[in-house]
Amino acid sequence: MKQLLILWAGQTGRNLQLARAAAAAASEAGEGEIDVRLLPAQQAGIDDLLACHGLIVATPENFGYMAGTLKDFFDRTFYPAQGRVEGLPYAILICAGNDGSGARVAIERIARGYPLTPACEPLIVHGEPDQAALERAAEVGATLALGLSLGLF
Ligand SMILES: Cc1cc2nc3c(=O)[nH]c(=O)nc-3n(C[C@H](O)[C@H](O)[C@H](O)COP(=O)(O)O)c2cc1C
């Protein structure tokens, strides 16, 4: 069974909400064909990355950058992943205060180094996620799950 890994970072739960919405939609869209794993970024490591067939990261923007726990995940897995995850499809969820572009650019730059392949446009939400934002996060999860189960990625 293919696996979709969803990593989240954050302190006050907004990005966890986006990640949970993506995970629920991915489970539904995957119809038992996709194993969805939702983990805090600090608990994930190279084994989790190598085991997955798709990756979603959810993070706040802190000081114009991604959250430290997500950056730490990339720091810890970059070298051991070299040559082993090329082309892995990924997507970005960001719930920021009022921007988010710094986190997006930083993640995209790092992802090109692995290299990972963007599966859809990043979602950037400002402030507390409303129903529309949660639905957009769900779309991202469903897109990854459907793409994996149909072999599109
Ligand atoms: C230390 C710190 C720095 C932040 N810096 C930014 C920033 O540079 N740009 C921005 O848009 N929001 C910034 N924020 C706001 C958070 O990105 C925002 O509250 C986010 O939605 C929190 O997500 P969470 O609930 O998952 O922790 C910052 C918050 C904290 C705590």
Side-chain angles (χ1 to χ4, degrees), residues 9-15 60-64 95-100:
Q11 302 183 76
T12 59
R14 292 175 175 174
N15 285 279
E61 178 170 84
N62 289 346
F63 305 128
C95 183
N98 52 21
D99 188 359

